[in-house]
Amino acid sequence: MLRVLAVDDEEPALEELLYLLRADPRIRRAEGATSATEALRRIGAALEAGPDDPAAVDVVFLDIHMAGLSGLDVARLLAGFAEPPLIVFVTAHEGFAVQAFDLKAVDYVLKPVRRERLAEAVRRVDGLVGERTPAAAPAADQIAVELGGVIRFVAVDDIAYAEAQGDYARLHTGTGSHLVRIPLTTLEERWRARGFVRIHRRHLVALARIDEMRLDAGAMSVRVGDAELAVSRRHARALRDLLMRQTGR
């Protein structure tokens, strides 16, 4: 049963496509997005959450000509992920088929969309999704962030530490910071295998980015680049042990 995101900035076309998709018994859920930015935000969140999350997306039915980023731009950005959703282009223009298949699109459906032609695209997607071997989802290599209405992808390896800000987290890299709507506890679970450790209720740190550990009057802190971060007593011993093991002492 497929989980689908349809993307088209023309609402009547989007509603018609969703109507046809929801009528197909192979589709569990079909939702719509009216812009590339909205689609990237939702896909990025779904990839971060993993394939078993209720918001997971197996395939994107994607228009090509949209205001702002085009469907081809979206496909190029998604190609940077380890396990992106499959892509079916749905467009009124025949001239982009070569580019679409260069981007490993599963199918290229022309508007106006015929029920039989769409069913064939769904059949192809269903077959490919069925061939995927179930496995534990790998930690994502990138995380989607929004900056001035533009979705960008930040490599997790570039993040030095994350700071809790309510239900959000601020990610700090060597070039700046980004606010994401993900609680720090969720990032802790997702990034544990990538070497991130909790040092305080407010901070999650990449172990490899810790430059120095200090102990002053019983209070521990670490230096990460130009930032000095407090280590809570609850986490101090575990962090010290991890750092000693890392340096082989």
Side-chain angles (χ1 to χ4, degrees):
M1 296 289 285
L2 300 172
R3 297 157 299 183
V4 174
L5 180 65
V7 188
D8 197 316
D9 62 351
E10 295 182 0
E11 291 197 26
L14 178 60
E15 290 301 320
E16 175 66 15
L17 179 57
L18 287 171
Y19 173 79
L20 294 173
L21 288 168
R22 288 166 180 163
D24 193 305
R26 292 164 295 192
I27 291 176
R28 180 197 308 178
R29 186 188 73 245
E31 298 180 347
T34 56
S35 71
T37 299
E38 179 189 355
L40 285 169
R41 184 186 301 115
R42 291 168 69 168
I43 295 167
L47 290 171
E48 278 291 310
D52 296 325
D53 190 84
V57 177
D58 297 309
V59 56
V60 183
F61 284 77
L62 187 59
D63 189 21
I64 288 182
H65 277 293
M66 294 185 289
L69 292 175
S70 72
L72 296 172
D73 293 328
V74 172
R76 291 186 188 101
L77 287 168
L78 292 179
F81 285 89
E83 295 287 340
L86 300 174
I87 292 175
V88 173
F89 285 104
V90 182
T91 177
H93 304 276
E94 297 183 9
F96 295 97
V98 172
Q99 294 179 61
F101 288 114
D102 281 345
L103 291 167
K104 296 182 172 56
V106 175
D107 209 339
Y108 192 88
V109 179
L110 290 174
K111 297 178 181 179
V113 178
R114 293 183 294 109
R115 186 185 299 270
E116 298 79 9
R117 181 65 184 87
L118 187 64
E120 172 62 18
V122 172
R123 184 193 66 77
R124 293 181 182 180
V125 170
D126 192 41
L128 290 171
V129 170
E131 291 172 2
R132 292 181 174 179
T133 303
D141 293 327
Q142 297 174 303
I143 184 169
V145 301
E146 185 174 359
L147 184 62
V150 177
I151 300 294
R152 300 183 186 278
F153 295 96
V154 174
V156 175
D157 289 343
D158 290 342
I159 298 167
Y161 68 97
E163 179 182 6
Q165 295 191 353
D167 291 334
Y168 293 74
R170 182 166 293 281
L171 311 179
H172 294 266
T173 70
T175 57
S177 68
H178 309 277
L179 194 65
V180 293
R181 193 172 185 174
I182 305 175
L184 198 65
T185 52
T186 302
L187 293 179
E188 180 183 8
E189 292 173 6
R190 293 178 188 171
W191 292 351
R192 185 176 290 116
R194 303 188 70 93
F196 281 79
V197 294
R198 192 71 172 260
I199 65 167
H200 192 276
R201 63 183 177 83
R202 290 193 57 200
H203 292 118
L204 180 69
V205 176
L207 196 64
R209 297 299 191 100
I210 295 177
D211 299 311
E212 187 177 78
M213 181 175 66
R214 298 178 182 177
L215 191 62
D216 184 17
M220 183 182 287
S221 64
V222 293
R223 183 171 58 81
V224 181
D226 294 331
E228 185 170 346
L229 308 175
V231 180
S232 69
R233 291 188 178 183
R234 175 185 173 188
H235 296 96
R237 181 169 183 173
L239 177 64
R240 182 188 177 95
D241 290 346
L242 282 171
L243 288 172
M244 292 302 103
R245 246 179 290 164
Q246 180 178 266
T247 56
R249 295 177 185 174

